[in-house]
Amino acid sequence: MSKNRFLKIVSYLVLLASLSACGFALRGAVVFPFQSIYVGLPESSALGGELKRNLRANGKTEVTSQANNAEVILDVLGETRDKVILSLNSQGRVREFNLIYNLKFRLRDKAGREVLQPTTISLKRNLSFKENEVLAKEAEEALLYRDMQSELVQQIMRRLAVVRMEAPAKLD
């Protein structure tokens, strides 16, 4: 075996050891601290559909159609999409918009106790605007909102994965 090849292998082993020592791990299946969940979003909601698909994808969590059959309930307290003017050109026409997607939710157990207090996730994206490309910019806006929705679902999934479920207190 050549010296260069040996050095390459040793450097890869050192890199691998240092990555594992720092706690780095590839993302695997998300493990939730609950077996079933009810998502308080209508079936027609794009956000609700994507969130339910991602929850079912891990294969260990059941998404129920009724709140009384679930171990935890995800209540959506508010969902808003805003479009705010960010900048104007020298003629006073819009040059840039700021797209804002806000979601406020909480997680409750069967007994109604809050497992996760009301949490707000706010995402923002900038959208340049040109008057002669209105249709293209509308399509880009829709694409940006879909992208923000996917990111929102991933953030919800991460927050649900770290929830601590407390055992109910025993009555003596």
Side-chain angles (χ1 to χ4, degrees):
M1 184 170 12
S2 72
K3 188 175 182 178
N4 285 340
R5 194 174 200 183
F6 178 74
L7 289 174
K8 222 180 221 185
I9 291 172
V10 169
S11 64
Y12 285 135
L13 289 174
V14 169
L15 178 65
L16 184 63
S18 64
L19 281 177
S20 64
C22 75
F24 175 80
L26 293 174
R27 284 189 190 174
V30 178
V31 179
F32 298 111
F34 45 83
Q35 309 305 308
S36 61
I37 185 171
Y38 172 77
V39 178
L41 283 166
E43 290 295 324
S44 60
S45 164
L47 176 65
E50 187 172 349
L51 181 58
K52 289 174 185 177
R53 242 187 336 273
N54 276 273
L55 287 165
R56 286 185 185 111
N58 79 350
K60 296 178 182 173
T61 305
E62 178 188 357
V63 179
T64 64
S65 58
Q66 295 195 356
N68 55 1
N69 296 337
E71 189 178 338
V72 293
I73 300 158
L74 180 82
D75 294 320
V76 175
L77 306 173
E79 178 186 6
T80 59
R81 292 181 178 197
D82 296 319
K83 184 177 179 179
V84 179
I85 295 172
L86 189 61
S87 64
L88 303 171
N89 64 15
S90 59
Q91 290 88 29
R93 294 185 180 134
V94 176
R95 184 170 53 183
E96 250 184 323
F97 285 106
N98 195 6
L99 305 178
I100 305 166
Y101 196 164
N102 293 311
L103 181 78
K104 186 173 184 177
F105 67 96
R106 71 176 177 184
L107 191 67
R108 298 180 293 129
D109 64 8
K110 264 187 180 178
R113 292 183 302 260
E114 282 188 347
V115 177
L116 179 63
Q117 293 182 354
T119 304
T120 302
I121 299 174
S122 183
L123 301 173
K124 297 177 183 179
R125 298 285 188 278
N126 292 342
L127 173 69
S128 62
F129 184 76
K130 294 180 184 174
E131 293 174 355
N132 57 348
E133 298 175 357
V134 174
L135 290 175
K137 290 300 175 178
E138 284 178 0
E140 184 180 354
E141 180 181 342
L143 183 67
L144 285 171
Y145 274 124
R146 266 195 310 262
D147 177 54
M148 285 192 284
Q149 176 182 298
S150 295
E151 185 177 332
L152 197 63
V153 166
Q154 292 307 311
Q155 285 195 28
I156 292 169
M157 297 285 286
R158 286 192 292 272
R159 290 177 193 214
L160 292 178
V162 297
V163 164
R164 294 225 167 111
M165 298 291 292
E166 296 181 17
K170 292 183 181 179
L171 297 174
D172 292 327

